Amino acid sequence: YKKYESDLKKFIATEAEQIMSKKVITSTEDTDIRELASIMVDKRVNRVPIVKNDKLIGIVTRADIIRNL
């Protein structure tokens, strides 16, 4: 524990803003699954937030797509 104590203290003090993605790739609820899958592969992301009127209404994950094949 002592070996990692300093790193642990820094980690605990970290705020979401410091580690979050700032350039978020979003889509809309009418985007077809094939296009969402392409976005995930092309942009190397595992989740795509779905927005409507600039508000988050859901998130589609790679697992969601695979589950619905």
Side-chain angles (χ1 to χ4, degrees):
Y1 171 78
K2 293 286 184 189
K3 181 178 176 182
Y4 300 105
E5 187 174 7
S6 174
D7 291 338
L8 182 60
K9 284 182 180 179
K10 280 190 248 176
F11 178 74
I12 290 171
T14 302
E15 295 179 357
E17 182 180 28
Q18 295 171 280
I19 61 170
M20 69 183 190
S21 299
K22 295 183 176 52
K23 294 183 180 181
V24 179
I25 298 162
T26 63
S27 194
T28 58
E29 61 189 326
D30 59 344
T31 304
D32 68 48
I33 299 301
R34 188 177 304 152
E35 186 174 345
L36 283 172
S38 291
I39 290 169
M40 289 179 184
V41 170
D42 294 344
K43 302 297 182 180
R44 296 184 179 157
V45 295
N46 293 317
R47 294 161 195 84
V48 177
I50 305 300
V51 295
K52 181 177 185 178
N53 299 325
D54 294 325
K55 296 205 187 267
L56 179 68
I57 60 170
I59 298 174
V60 176
T61 67
R62 286 181 186 238
D64 294 332
I65 292 174
I66 291 169
R67 233 185 337 268
N68 286 283
L69 287 178

